[in-house]
Amino acid sequence: MSLVAAPMAIVDLGSSAQQSAAGDCCKEDEELSSNSSSLIMKGVRHLSDSGITMLPDSYVLPAHDRPGGLLVANSRVKLPVIDLATLHDPSRRAAALETLDAACRSYGFFQVVNHGVDGDVIAGMLDVARRFFELPLAERARYMSSDVRAAVRYGTSFNQAKDAVLCWRDFLKLVCHEPLQEAWPQEPAELREVASTYAAASHGLFMEIMEAALQALHLGGGNGGILEELAVGSSHMMTINCYPACPQPELTLGMPPHSDYGLFSLVLQDHVEGLQVMHDARWLTVDPIPGSFVVNVGDHLEIYSNGRYKSVLHRVRVNSTRPRISVASFHSLPAERVVGPAPELLVAGGEPRRYMDTDFATFLAYLASADGKDKTFLHSRMLQQPL
Ligand SMILES: O=C(O)CCC(=O)C(=O)O
Ligand SMILES: [Fe+2]
């Protein structure tokens, strides 16, 4: 659905239905289940608002894919934090680059503080996002589309057309790299202005982080490098995610394990935790730092760095009391650009190529066909195991 690879166990509805009978069924729930397919298409915000007390079977994951269990570490984790002010300070830049380099190699994730994006821009974006999902369904539904290239797309779950078990998420996706704002929603009235200001800030921050990452990798500093290419043209998709309160959060997920497709993703989350990152074969819950960005390496950067940097699986848990909003910005090269390992890494006597070249059409074909468990798009591009 969005610019993310969909691996994972969105599996067998038959077995999940058997495992869903936690709690007593009330009359409302019976009515809902008789009418559930039409309700489900309306998304989870609608379901949550209708007051259900039991999760419809279509959202119930089989036991081994549910969010609890042995693979979950008890503690919340503070991801490595990059203070952007230190990147701007020549005397501290080298140390900041080392922190960034280590974070991209091990976690594939870090948080950025002191990033210079105005607090009002951040608060305004979260506020307008929240208000969009409070609009009447008919207003939101105007933007429903199955066209993955649409400038604006409202939908539910992860990959609605393919998911065998649905996810507890509604989303609004906006293409930000073309002047298409007039296609974006007109309600709430401020959305276009606020989201385009936010998108410009996110892109600026991405460029700074990308420059730092390339420096840390000793790549692409020269003329004609990838950074110059990005300055001339790039792709930028924004997904606004809404995870309403869920009656049985232990049985489902807001987003299944996946990796992101681009170079870097910048995620703004509100104060409600939910994002989990796979690290050392365990799920760690990211502790939200107010006003910060969570940044993660995407598949393109893993490929471009020939496996030095890791595009790591992550997922989203939901909870029974607090709705959560996040805004994920996926930054990369233009869709038509073929991405492969950086040429500097593959010179004679250099290292072996670990990934095939890839392009957006291949990714879309993968999305349309992907239903394999624990199989990511990245794995389909691997020639040999990364470092
Ligand atoms: O909601 C979040 O914190 C993460 C969202 C995400 O991973 C995505 O949109 O790809
Ligand atoms: Fe993601």
Side-chain angles (χ1 to χ4, degrees):
M1 135 176 322
S2 62
L3 278 192
V4 286
M8 124 103 185
I10 305 259
V11 258
D12 191 85
L13 198 54
S15 60
S16 63
Q18 284 171 6
Q19 288 150 349
S20 70
D24 292 332
C25 188
C26 65
K27 185 161 176 296
E28 271 168 0
D29 292 328
E30 277 167 14
E31 280 166 11
L32 275 167
S33 64
S34 66
N35 191 17
S36 61
S37 56
S38 65
L39 265 176
I40 283 162
M41 292 322 286
K42 294 177 179 169
V44 290
R45 172 81 207 212
H46 191 73
L47 273 177
S48 180
D49 288 351
S50 71
I52 54 167
T53 56
M54 213 180 133
L55 193 66
D57 285 349
S58 5
Y59 294 89
V60 178
L61 288 164
H64 56 278
D65 290 330
R66 291 181 193 166
L70 290 175
L71 286 179
V72 181
N74 285 328
S75 58
R76 297 197 297 177
V77 67
K78 284 229 184 299
L79 293 172
V81 175
I82 312 284
D83 179 340
L84 223 71
T86 63
L87 270 182
H88 297 152
D89 174 351
S91 69
R92 293 186 292 169
R93 185 168 172 95
L97 289 180
E98 259 178 50
T99 311
L100 183 142
D101 190 61
C104 292
R105 285 174 194 262
S106 58
Y107 285 94
F109 270 81
F110 54 91
Q111 292 188 76
V112 172
V113 297
N114 273 333
H115 40 64
V117 179
D118 198 299
D120 288 347
V121 173
I122 288 180
M125 186 65 227
L126 287 172
D127 178 59
V128 87
R130 195 171 296 116
R131 285 190 291 123
F132 175 81
F133 289 101
E134 283 166 4
L135 292 173
L137 178 65
E139 186 61 37
R140 283 175 275 147
R142 293 168 56 173
Y143 304 102
M144 275 181 185
S145 165
S146 55
D147 175 6
V148 292
R149 291 171 188 261
V152 55
R153 196 153 73 91
Y154 175 72
T156 190
S157 193
F158 186 65
N159 190 348
Q160 196 174 338
K162 297 287 297 178
D163 297 345
V165 176
L166 298 170
C167 294
W168 197 257
R169 166 182 89 134
D170 293 338
F171 65 87
L172 177 71
K173 204 172 129 186
L174 304 173
V175 171
C176 302
H177 52 256
E178 286 166 32
L180 290 169
Q181 277 83 340
E182 66 283 358
W184 291 2
Q186 277 173 304
E187 296 288 339
E190 309 76 20
L191 185 139
R192 289 182 182 178
E193 191 185 334
V194 170
S196 51
T197 305
Y198 175 80
S202 173
H203 186 256
L205 187 54
F206 158 69
M207 289 297 283
E208 280 190 60
I209 293 169
M210 195 63 210
E211 182 179 11
L214 290 170
Q215 195 180 343
L217 285 162
H218 307 289
L219 285 178
N223 285 344
I226 192 175
L227 206 61
E228 273 191 16
E229 258 187 271
L230 285 166
V232 178
S234 55
S235 70
H236 177 185
M237 321 287 296
M238 186 195 296
T239 306
I240 305 173
N241 299 303
C242 168
Y243 310 97
C246 173
Q248 291 178 296
E250 64 290 352
L251 300 180
T252 195
L253 284 166
M255 219 185 269
H258 67 281
S259 63
D260 295 346
Y261 174 69
L263 287 166
F264 274 117
S265 307
L266 272 56
V267 180
L268 177 64
Q269 50 180 338
D270 64 12
H271 57 286
V272 180
E273 69 183 36
L275 176 61
Q276 293 191 317
V277 176
M278 179 59 87
H279 183 68
D280 287 343
R282 306 183 83 190
W283 288 111
L284 305 178
T285 302
V286 175
D287 197 3
I289 303 178
S292 71
F293 288 93
V294 173
V295 180
N296 61 294
V297 172
D299 294 352
H300 277 166
L301 188 52
E302 178 164 334
I303 293 174
Y304 190 73
S305 69
N306 205 26
R308 287 181 162 81
Y309 286 2
K310 300 285 183 283
S311 173
V312 165
L313 284 182
H314 51 287
R315 69 180 189 182
V316 178
R317 284 187 78 158
V318 290
N319 73 82
S320 60
T321 52
R322 293 166 306 160
R324 177 170 182 269
I325 292 282
S326 71
V327 182
S329 303
F330 306 100
H331 297 277
S332 197
L333 290 154
E336 60 280 5
R337 164 69 147 83
V338 172
V339 179
E344 299 98 301
L345 296 174
L346 304 181
V347 289
E351 55 196 56
R353 171 190 268 269
R354 297 194 168 85
Y355 301 85
M356 290 176 249
D357 288 350
T358 191
D359 59 13
F360 192 56
T362 313
F363 175 65
L364 289 184
Y366 169 84
L367 267 195
S369 68
D371 54 7
K373 183 169 159 49
D374 292 333
K375 193 173 134 228
T376 65
F377 175 66
L378 198 57
H379 286 138
S380 75
R381 310 311 297 159
M382 255 177 208
L383 292 166
Q384 51 178 290
Q385 283 303 311
L387 307 171

